[in-house]
Amino acid sequence: MAGVNSPSAPVVARAPGRVNLIGEHTDYNGGLCLPFAIGLATIAAVRPRGDDQLRVTSREAVPGDPHWQEYVVGVLAELRRIGWEVPGLDIDLVSTLPLGGGLASSAALECAVATAIAGLLGVPLDGAGRRLLAEACRRAETEHVGAPTGGMDQLAAMLGSDGHALLIDFADPDSPVTAPVSFPVAEDGLVLLVTDTRVRHVLADGDGGYAQRRREYARGHPRRRRHVVTENARVRDAVDAIGARAWARLGALMTASHASLRDDYEVSVPQLDQVVDTGLEAGALGARMTGGGFGGCALTLVAADRAGVVREAVDAAYAERGWAPPRHHLVEPGPGAEVLRGIG
Ligand code: ADP
Ligand code: MG
C-alpha cells in the first residue's frame, strides 16, 4: 500500500477495446469466441483521496447517460468484495473508443479502472491476476450495472497480447479456458477494417434485444440454437485457417458467421448488412458484424491495397441511402491492459 497516501502523481492505466474476429453470442451460451485487443482504448488516471469518497469524471461521458458511473462503482465494489482495500479515489477517464459501438468500451472502462487500482495497490498483473480482474469487471457489469454480458470483452481487454487473438472456451462459464492464437494477418498484406455503422444498439433495440436472445436460446429456440452450434464450428475452423494462413478461408468463415447472425440469431441491422455486402462486392475476403449487433461495427478482412476501394464503396452506399457517414478504423491485434504510470 506504499504511496497510497501520497497526493502526488496519479497511477495511470490503459485498457483496450476489442474486436471479435468470430464467435458471436457464444460466450454466454457455453461456446467459443476469438476476440483480439485493439489500439482504441480507455485510459484511467486514479488518485487516492484522504476520505472514502469516489469522484469520477469522463471526457467522453454523454450528458443524460444516467448509468456510466455505475460501471466504476461496480468495479470498486467487486474489488472490495474480493478483499482489496480500495481507498476513496479521484478517477479521470479518457477514451478513443466509440461508446455503445460494439467495441467493448464498457469493458475497457472497467478494466482500465481495475488495472490502475491494481497498480496503486501494488498487486502484480500476472496471468492469474489478470483473470481475477477480468472476472471482477464482468461481475461489475452484470451485478451492478445490470447488463447481461458473457465475459468475452473483459477477458480480451485483460489477456489480449500483441499480434495475437485470444481463443476463449466458455464450456465452464465460471472458469473459461483461454489460449493465445498467433494472428499474423499484416505479414501477408491484409488489413482488418472496422466500420462503425453509427447505429447505436441502445437506440436500435431499446436495450432489450440482447437479453431477449439469451432467453430465446435458453428456451431452445431452434434457429438461435443452430446459430450457436454452427458458430462454434466456425470458430474452430477459423483457428485452423489462421494457423494455415488460409486467409480466403478465414474470410469465408467470417461471411458465413454474418449470414448466421443475420438470419438465425437475427441481431443484424440494414446498415451492418450493407457494409458486409458492399465490402464483399468491392473485393474483401470476408466481412461480418462484430459485437452484440443491433448496430455497432462491422469487421472486414481485405488486402491492404483494396482497403481504400472498400471504404469508398461503403461510404458511397451509405450516401446513396442518406445515412450519416460511417467511421472507419484500421485495427490490428495489440496488447491487453497495462499500467502506464505506476506509483512514485
Ligand atoms: P460497448 O461496450 O460496446 O461500447 P455498452 O453498451 O456495453 O457498449 O457500453 C457503453 C456504455 O458504457 C456507455 O453508454 C456508457 O454508459 C459506458 N461507457 C463506456 N466507456 C465510457 C467512457 N469512457 N466514459 C463514460 N461512459 C462510458
Ligand atoms: Mg460493453
Side-chain angles (χ1 to χ4, degrees):
M1 299 282 285
V4 158
N5 293 320
S6 95
S8 55
V11 171
V12 181
R14 166 193 180 278
R18 62 95 191 96
V19 166
N20 190 19
L21 182 59
I22 197 159
E24 213 68 74
H25 287 280
T26 48
D27 60 344
Y28 58 87
N29 288 325
L32 302 167
C33 59
L34 191 60
F36 59 92
I38 59 177
L40 301 171
T42 298
I43 289 177
V46 171
R47 257 195 209 88
R49 294 168 58 97
D51 57 25
D52 61 1
Q53 301 291 301
L54 170 66
R55 187 197 57 88
V56 47
T57 72
S58 166
R59 191 183 66 181
E60 277 69 37
V62 177
D65 174 358
H67 296 301
W68 77 269
Q69 290 180 326
E70 291 169 21
Y71 292 88
V72 181
V73 172
V75 170
L76 266 62
E78 285 301 318
L79 293 180
R80 288 176 177 140
R81 203 180 61 81
I82 61 173
W84 290 23
E85 291 182 15
V86 182
L89 295 170
D90 286 335
I91 302 178
D92 298 298
L93 300 160
V94 294
S95 185
T96 53
L97 284 157
L99 272 53
L103 300 181
S105 73
S106 59
L109 179 159
E110 295 147 15
C111 293
V113 168
T115 300
I117 293 173
L120 184 71
L121 301 184
V123 178
L125 278 185
D126 55 8
R130 286 174 177 273
R131 252 163 225 288
L132 189 73
L133 287 195
E135 175 58 12
C137 290
R138 186 192 67 80
R139 287 184 54 95
E141 188 153 340
T142 54
E143 309 296 312
H144 297 264
V145 181
T149 170
M152 164 174 66
D153 299 351
Q154 292 81 5
L155 284 167
M158 292 310 305
L159 295 176
S161 59
D162 212 7
H164 291 77
L166 184 73
L167 177 62
I168 312 175
D169 184 343
F170 285 95
D172 176 357
D174 296 326
S175 181
V177 177
T178 62
V181 175
S182 177
F183 187 31
V185 69
E187 286 174 20
D188 289 343
L190 299 170
V191 293
L192 292 152
L193 180 69
V194 165
T195 301
D196 184 347
T197 61
R198 311 284 300 279
V199 178
R200 291 293 169 259
H201 57 80
V202 179
L203 302 174
D205 82 334
D207 233 3
Y210 185 92
Q212 191 192 334
R213 290 297 177 278
R214 291 186 72 138
R215 280 196 302 275
E216 288 166 351
Y217 180 87
R219 289 191 197 124
H221 188 299
R223 273 185 299 125
R224 309 290 185 253
R225 294 251 160 176
R226 183 169 65 186
H227 164 71
V228 173
V229 170
T230 59
E231 186 78 349
N232 284 328
R234 281 186 291 270
V235 176
R236 286 197 192 86
D237 290 349
V239 171
D240 290 345
I242 292 169
R245 296 191 172 203
W247 304 122
R249 171 89 187 121
L250 177 64
L253 290 163
M254 292 169 66
T255 305
S257 168
H258 184 78
S260 179
L261 288 157
R262 181 191 60 212
D263 301 335
D264 279 353
Y265 222 71
E266 295 183 278
V267 289
S268 190
V269 294
Q271 286 85 346
L272 286 166
D273 296 341
Q274 186 72 58
V275 174
V276 168
D277 293 345
T278 304
L280 294 172
E281 283 160 23
L285 273 65
R288 61 183 292 273
M289 53 162 276
T290 183
F294 304 104
C297 292
L299 177 68
T300 302
L301 178 66
V302 57
D305 58 10
R306 295 288 303 172
V309 175
V310 165
R311 283 176 69 142
E312 280 164 25
V314 169
D315 289 349
Y318 252 66
E320 208 171 290
R321 276 152 194 76
W323 294 337
R327 291 212 177 96
H328 303 280
H329 310 270
L330 285 174
V331 295
E332 47 189 1
E338 59 202 329
V339 176
L340 300 178
R341 183 162 73 189
I343 40 175

